[in-house]
């Protein structure tokens, strides 16, 4: 047999479906037997109802004998396709008493399901298997965990759900492409990595999983670059005049690779290494070693005759390793790690939210005492952070014990405000952990980390108040983090560092050391001063002690709390995505942002909606007594949009009433229907301003915690 793919100007048609399309993902590989002038699509052949594979793989076409193929073509020529009405319909629905026959491409178009397993059954659109879920509690879209585009979480022909991870959804087309590339040995659930249950369900729902190795494993010399030695100097200041790739063995310009990962390097001279035998680790590996508890701080060597500033003490760059890899290695990593580098923060938090179970836990919250109410709820032995949280507001002065349903996102927003202003943190805008012995004794740093993790996973607002130093300590480890002077909130300590750093002579420096001798001795920063340049190391020691070492116990406790629901691990895996929401406040609200945020679900008054848009513009232009944040708080209880968005989506309705009403539990804003815009604006300003003022007064009875 002589098999080949049609080439040149010839493009023969498939004897079954009569199409000349060459699309392996949709129709399978197209093969032509030149001797018998016979062309077939693999799937058309495989799914035809009246043919079986009687030969060996090398016989006929894919083991289907030529004589059998001809007989099947003859049989199909007598059957009319119920979709295109043409003859040659070789595939029939296996459902009892169903007489529908169709071509394979026509069946795909009409959303039939073809099972590439067992007897290779085919089902028409009326009898195809479906995925059944007990209930649908998803009010908003969820991302396809392969392409990350948002989809409606409803099982349909084109939308499939994972059988092992109930909150994992996929496009059918995305699954099929992944199955073709991964093969039977690597095709598995993108969330939990299960293969057996996952493949069984996907085969039932018509996904073809070829019995082959993964496509990336079949590439010629696929991992050849892994056999090459890494030869590049990655320190911040490469001193070699010949460049970072210059490597001369048995000299000071020999490149030493990281002893842990081998994927970063340094010239011996650039890291003050006396010989090639000395150990050297890159910045990332030091962070990993530190977190494992086996890290011992390596001695740093100051470059000779060089003035090193406080912010220049670490030589290694902090960029990730990926950009240093060859293009081939980057491509392999992207294949292995899926869409890791394409994920934005909202997708990551939604993914964390998949852990939340349907079982609910009600928290009774006193809005005048948010902190203690939250502590009591989270410390309750029956509380599970993966349960769905319900909020009930209570008033301790109400002797009747009335409960009012509360907004979870409003509660989390208020809790994050309490956390930001708590004595557990110090600093003005960018905050670091403080040293509070009473809070440490009461394990409040752990509770603070736990609160922050719960808030993120359950749809709360972003923190936005961390310093870069605190964030880097969480991601890379304190030993791999260099604080800056702005991290010091204590004015006296900052003055000591500034005075030492700006000492002009050895006499001035020694005088300062004598002046602060007791303090330096107390914090363990006394060092032998032999030259004026030693002042930089002394200033650095004080800085590191005050910002990092002094709060080591609170930091470890806070970090343990942040591990709740796997949040810390996610942060360390995707630091760039999380840095923005931890270290920066959300962008200022604008007319466009709020206009896009609120949707109109019901038929509303056109004039009132016009007044609403004009009102938003007036607020943004400063022509109103309220702000954009006030409007959002009035409707949702939050002053900013959470990273994962609002649940449910904020909506607007127009009602015949004098003043607007905000329903924070449903994120619904009811607008008044008025005859003039002036009346509309006055009523909006009055209601929003006074409602927020009253709420602030009620909550101000309890200050601090």
């Amino acid at each position: 047999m002589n098999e080949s793919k049609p080439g040149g100007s010839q493009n023969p048609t498939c004897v079954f479906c009569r199409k000349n399309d060459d699309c392996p993902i949709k129709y399978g590989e197209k093969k032509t037997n030149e001797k018998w002038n016979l062309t077939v699509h693999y799937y058309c052949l495989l799914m035809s109802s009246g043919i079986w594979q009687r030969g060996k793989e090398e016989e006929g076409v894919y083991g289907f004998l030529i004589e059998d193929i001809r007989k099947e073509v003859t049989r199909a020529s007598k059957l009319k396709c119920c979709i295109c009405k043409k003859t040659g319909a070789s595939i029939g629905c296996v459902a009892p008493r169903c007489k529908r026959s169709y071509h394979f491409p026509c069946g795909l178009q009409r959303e039939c399901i073809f099972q590439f397993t067992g007897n290779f059954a085919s089902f028409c659109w009326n009898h195809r298997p479906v995925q059944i879920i007990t209930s649908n509690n998803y009010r908003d879209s969820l991302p396809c965990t392969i392409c990350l585009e948002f989809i409606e979480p409803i099982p349909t022909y084109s939308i499939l759900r994972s059988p092992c991870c109930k909150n994992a959804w996929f496009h059918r087309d995305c699954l099929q492409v992944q199955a073709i590339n991964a093969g039977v040995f690597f095709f598995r659930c993108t969330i939990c990595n299960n293969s057996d249950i996952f493949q069984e369900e996907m085969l039932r729902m018509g996904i073809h999983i070829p019995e082959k190795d993964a496509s990336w494993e079949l590439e010629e010399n696929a991992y050849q670059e892994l056999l090459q030695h890494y030869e590049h100097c990655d320190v911040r200041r490469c001193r070699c005049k010949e460049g970072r790739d210059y490597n001369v063995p048995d000299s000071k310009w020999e490149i030493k690779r990281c002893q842990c990962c081998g994927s970063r390097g340094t010239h011996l001279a650039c890291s003050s290494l006396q010989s090639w035998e000395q150990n050297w680790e890159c910045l990332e590996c030091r962070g990993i070693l530190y977190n494992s508890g086996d890290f011992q701080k390596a001695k740093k060597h100051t470059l000779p005759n060089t003035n090193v500033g406080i912010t220049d003490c670490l030589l290694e760059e902090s960029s990730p390793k990926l950009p240093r890899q060859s293009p081939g290695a980057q491509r392999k990593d992207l294949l292995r790690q899926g869409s890791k580098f394409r994920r934005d923060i909202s997708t990551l938090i939604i993914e964390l939210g998949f852990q939340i179970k349907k079982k609910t836990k009600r928290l009774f919250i006193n809005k005048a005492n948010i902190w203690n109410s939250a502590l009591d709820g989270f410390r309750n032995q029956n509380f599970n952070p993966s349960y769905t949280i319900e909020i009930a507001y209570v008033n301790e002065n109400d002797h009747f014990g009335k409960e009012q349903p509360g907004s979870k996102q409003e509660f989390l927003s208020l809790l994050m405000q309490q956390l930001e202003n708590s004595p557990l943190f110090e600093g003005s805008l960018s905050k670091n952990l403080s040293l509070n012995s009473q809070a440490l004794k009461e394990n409040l740093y752990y509770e603070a980390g736990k609160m922050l993790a719960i808030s993120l996973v359950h749809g709360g607002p972003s923190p936005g108040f961390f310093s870069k130093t605190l964030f880097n300590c969480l991601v890379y480890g304190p030993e791999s983090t260099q604080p800056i002077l702005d991290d010091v909130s204590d004015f006296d300590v900052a003055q000591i560092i500034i005075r030492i750093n700006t000492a002009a002579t050895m006499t001035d420096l020694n005088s300062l050391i004598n002046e602060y001798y007791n303090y330096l001795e107390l914090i363990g920063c006394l060092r032998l001063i032999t030259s004026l340049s030693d002042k930089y190391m002394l200033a650095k020691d004080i800085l590191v002690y005050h910002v990092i070492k002094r709060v080591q116990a609170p930091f470890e406790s806070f970090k343990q709390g942040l591990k709740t629901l796997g949040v810390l691990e996610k942060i360390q895996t995707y630091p760039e995505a999380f840095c923005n929401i931890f270290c920066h406040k959300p962008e200022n609200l604008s007319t466009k942002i709020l206009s896009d945020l609120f949707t109109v679900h019901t038929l509303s008054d056109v004039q009132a909606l016009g007044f609403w848009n004009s009102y938003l513009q007036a607020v943004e232009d400063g022509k109103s007594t309220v702000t954009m944040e006030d409007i959002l708080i009035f409707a949702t209880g939050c002053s900013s949009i959470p990273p994962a968005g609002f649940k449910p989506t904020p909506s607007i309705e127009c009602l015949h009433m004098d003043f607007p009403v905000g329903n924070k539990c449903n994120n619904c804003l009811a607008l008044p229907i008025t005859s003039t815009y002036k009346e509309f604006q006055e009523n909006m300003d009055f209601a929003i301003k006074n409602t927020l003022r009253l709420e602030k007064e009620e909550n101000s009875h309890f200050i601090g915690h």
Side-chain angles (χ1 to χ4, degrees):
M1 188 190 86
N2 182 18
E3 290 183 1
S4 67
K5 291 183 181 179
S9 59
Q10 295 180 343
N11 192 5
T13 60
C14 172
V15 294
F16 288 107
C17 68
R18 318 283 176 80
K19 290 181 177 291
N20 59 7
D21 303 57
D22 193 357
C23 184
I25 291 181
K26 289 181 66 176
Y27 308 133
E29 187 178 7
K30 186 168 80 169
K31 279 199 174 184
T32 298
N33 186 298
E34 293 182 351
K35 179 180 179 180
W36 300 100
N37 191 26
L38 186 145
T39 300
V40 294
H41 288 124
Y42 179 46
Y43 294 169
C44 292
L45 177 61
L46 201 61
M47 300 308 303
S48 292
S49 303
I51 189 171
W52 290 266
Q53 186 182 30
R54 296 196 300 130
K56 298 179 180 179
E57 284 293 331
E58 64 273 11
E59 293 185 272
V61 181
Y62 297 110
F64 291 87
L65 302 180
I66 298 298
E67 57 189 86
D68 291 343
I69 296 176
R70 286 182 162 181
K71 288 180 181 179
E72 180 64 4
V73 171
T74 302
R75 184 189 71 86
S77 65
K78 303 173 184 177
L79 300 174
K80 183 180 292 187
C81 176
C82 63
I83 299 171
C84 70
K85 308 305 180 184
K86 296 179 181 179
T87 59
S90 63
I91 305 171
C93 178
V94 300
R97 294 186 294 278
C98 181
K99 303 301 182 182
R100 291 189 178 97
S101 296
Y102 32 82
H103 302 104
F104 184 84
C106 295
L108 284 183
Q109 182 182 356
R110 196 64 172 82
E111 299 184 347
C112 300
I113 279 184
F114 305 93
Q115 293 181 342
F116 295 88
T117 184
N119 293 325
F120 295 90
S122 168
F123 300 87
C124 71
W125 54 93
N126 278 347
H127 301 112
R128 69 190 182 202
V130 296
Q131 288 186 306
I132 300 175
I133 59 176
T134 54
S135 62
N136 185 3
N137 294 327
Y138 307 103
R139 299 181 180 178
D140 296 325
S141 300
L142 291 175
C144 166
T145 62
I146 297 177
C147 72
L148 302 183
E149 290 185 4
F150 280 85
I151 55 181
E152 291 301 319
I154 302 173
T156 61
Y157 174 80
S158 57
I159 304 297
L160 300 177
R161 188 179 73 161
S162 171
C164 39
C165 295
K166 302 304 183 184
N167 291 327
W169 298 80
F170 314 89
H171 290 109
R172 172 182 288 273
D173 291 342
C174 293
L175 276 172
Q176 186 58 78
V177 172
Q178 186 187 58
I180 295 295
N181 289 328
V184 70
F185 302 110
F186 291 91
F187 184 54
R188 55 197 64 191
C189 177
T190 55
I191 302 298
C192 70
N193 231 22
N194 177 278
S195 60
D196 296 336
I197 300 176
F198 185 74
Q199 287 191 16
E200 181 181 355
E201 175 67 1
M202 293 305 112
L203 286 169
R204 186 180 76 90
M205 295 307 298
I207 300 298
H208 180 224
I209 310 172
E211 293 185 6
K212 64 163 191 164
D213 210 341
S215 58
W216 57 86
E217 298 287 345
L218 300 175
E219 295 180 26
E220 186 177 359
N221 297 323
Y223 305 105
Q224 189 66 31
E225 66 270 21
L226 299 180
L227 302 177
Q228 301 174 2
H229 291 301
Y230 186 80
E231 295 182 352
H232 186 88
C233 180
D234 295 300
V235 299
R236 182 177 297 173
R237 292 189 182 87
C238 178
R239 302 170 63 203
C240 182
K241 295 181 180 179
E242 301 296 328
R244 292 183 177 270
D245 295 323
Y246 186 67
N247 181 28
V248 180
D250 301 321
S251 74
K252 66 179 181 179
W253 301 121
E254 181 175 7
I255 290 180
K256 169 78 175 177
R257 291 180 292 277
C258 172
Q259 66 172 349
C260 296
C261 68
S263 61
R264 300 197 71 178
T266 176
H267 289 117
L268 298 182
C270 295
S271 291
S272 300
L273 299 177
Q274 301 303 315
S275 68
W276 193 88
E277 285 75 19
Q278 282 186 257
N279 292 333
W280 182 82
E281 306 94 5
C282 65
L283 180 63
E284 288 87 348
C285 291
R286 286 184 196 169
I288 295 171
L289 289 172
Y290 173 86
N291 288 329
S292 70
D294 299 328
F295 181 77
Q296 295 294 327
K297 183 178 179 181
K299 292 184 178 180
K300 298 278 184 177
H301 299 275
T302 307
L303 297 179
N305 302 321
T306 304
N307 289 332
V308 183
I310 290 178
T311 59
D312 299 326
C313 296
L314 290 178
L315 293 176
E316 293 81 15
E317 296 176 349
S318 59
S319 59
K321 294 180 185 177
L322 186 66
R324 295 292 185 191
Q325 296 175 325
S326 66
Q330 292 185 36
R331 185 171 64 253
K332 294 295 177 297
D333 280 347
L334 287 174
L335 282 170
R336 295 188 186 94
Q337 300 180 35
S339 53
K340 169 179 176 180
F341 299 98
R342 299 196 304 269
R343 294 180 177 175
D344 58 19
I345 187 62
S346 61
T347 304
L348 293 171
I349 293 180
I350 289 173
E351 189 175 287
L352 282 170
F354 290 162
Q355 304 171 77
I356 300 175
K357 300 177 175 63
K358 294 180 181 179
K359 187 173 181 179
T360 60
K361 172 62 178 177
R362 176 171 292 189
L363 299 181
F364 297 94
I365 302 299
N366 181 2
K367 291 182 73 172
N369 195 342
I370 289 285
W371 177 265
N372 286 333
S373 297
L375 270 183
D376 292 341
F378 292 161
R379 284 176 168 175
N380 188 294
Q381 62 180 357
N382 294 324
F383 177 77
N384 186 326
S386 64
Y387 288 172
T388 299
I389 295 176
E390 287 185 355
I391 301 299
Y393 287 134
V394 295
N395 189 339
E396 59 185 13
N397 297 322
D398 186 355
H399 301 293
F400 296 99
K402 292 181 180 178
E403 301 174 8
Q404 292 183 344
S407 162
K408 178 179 67 175
Q409 288 179 310
E410 179 190 32
F411 158 67
L412 294 173
S413 179
L414 295 173
L415 182 59
M416 288 301 101
Q417 293 175 24
Q418 290 274 323
L419 186 62
E420 179 178 359
N421 299 317
S422 74
L424 302 178
F425 295 90
E426 61 184 20
S428 53
L429 297 177
S430 297
K431 296 178 180 286
N432 289 290
L433 290 172
S434 66
L435 180 58
N436 187 309
S437 58
Q438 185 61 31
L440 194 60
K441 182 179 179 181
E442 296 177 6
N443 204 26
L444 293 185
Y445 289 99
Y446 170 83
E447 297 295 341
K450 180 180 175 181
M451 288 177 181
L452 203 154
I454 291 173
S455 177
L456 279 178
V457 178
H458 285 265
S462 56
F465 61 86
F466 278 37
S467 71
K468 286 288 184 66
T469 298
L470 175 55
F471 183 79
N472 288 338
C473 284
L474 290 168
V475 175
Y476 307 111
E479 200 66 37
S480 300
T481 301
Q482 176 60 44
I484 61 175
L485 189 60
D486 289 343
D487 292 320
V488 180
S489 60
D490 189 309
F491 178 80
D492 294 333
V493 174
Q495 287 301 306
I496 293 174
I497 296 173
I498 292 172
R499 292 183 65 187
I500 290 176
N501 202 37
T502 57
T505 65
M506 280 293 294
T507 302
D508 293 340
L509 183 57
N510 286 323
S511 176
L512 288 171
I513 292 174
N514 289 331
E515 181 180 350
Y516 300 121
Y517 185 89
N518 291 335
Y519 171 72
L520 295 176
E521 184 180 39
L522 178 66
I523 66 175
C525 290
L526 276 178
R527 61 166 48 241
L528 180 64
I529 302 297
T530 58
S531 65
L532 186 61
S533 63
D534 289 341
K535 66 181 182 179
Y536 297 113
M537 294 306 297
L538 177 59
K540 176 199 167 187
D541 288 346
I542 300 172
L543 189 60
V544 170
Y545 168 79
H546 186 82
V547 178
I548 294 179
K549 291 184 177 180
R550 182 176 63 97
V551 295
Q552 183 175 356
F555 173 78
E556 291 298 328
S557 181
F558 180 74
K559 189 171 74 169
Q560 290 301 315
L562 201 56
K563 289 181 179 180
T564 302
L565 295 172
V567 170
L568 180 61
E569 181 183 0
K570 206 75 165 179
I571 294 171
Q572 292 172 338
T573 306
Y574 306 95
E576 292 184 1
F578 280 92
C579 180
N580 191 48
I581 68 167
F582 271 78
C583 302
H584 303 284
K585 292 294 185 181
E587 64 176 322
N588 293 329
L589 298 174
S590 64
T591 297
K592 184 179 187 315
I593 291 175
L594 280 190
S595 180
D596 293 342
L597 179 65
F598 286 89
T599 59
V600 182
H601 286 317
T602 58
L603 186 62
S604 297
D605 185 89
V606 176
Q607 186 180 41
L609 292 177
F611 288 167
W612 161 250
N613 291 325
S614 300
Y615 180 70
L616 288 179
Q617 191 60 56
V619 172
E620 185 176 15
D621 294 341
K623 299 177 182 179
S624 171
T625 57
V626 302
T627 64
M628 291 288 187
E629 288 72 22
D630 291 339
I631 297 174
L632 192 60
I633 294 172
F634 181 77
T636 67
C638 299
S639 59
S640 62
I641 302 173
F646 285 102
K647 290 185 180 180
T649 302
S651 61
I652 285 177
E653 59 181 346
C654 302
L655 300 177
H656 290 279
M657 55 187 183
D658 294 331
F659 298 100
V661 175
N663 186 337
K664 298 175 183 177
C665 292
N666 296 323
N667 298 327
C668 181
L669 176 61
L671 301 176
I673 296 178
T674 60
S675 56
T676 65
Y677 171 72
K678 181 180 179 181
E679 183 183 1
F680 180 89
Q681 179 175 352
E682 290 176 350
N683 291 357
M684 291 288 290
D685 285 350
F686 178 83
I688 294 174
K689 183 178 180 180
N690 284 280
T691 299
L692 298 185
R693 178 180 60 80
L694 290 173
E695 290 180 351
K696 188 174 182 180
E697 290 176 356
E698 291 176 1
N699 298 340
S700 64
H701 293 304
F702 182 81
I703 302 175
H705 45 267

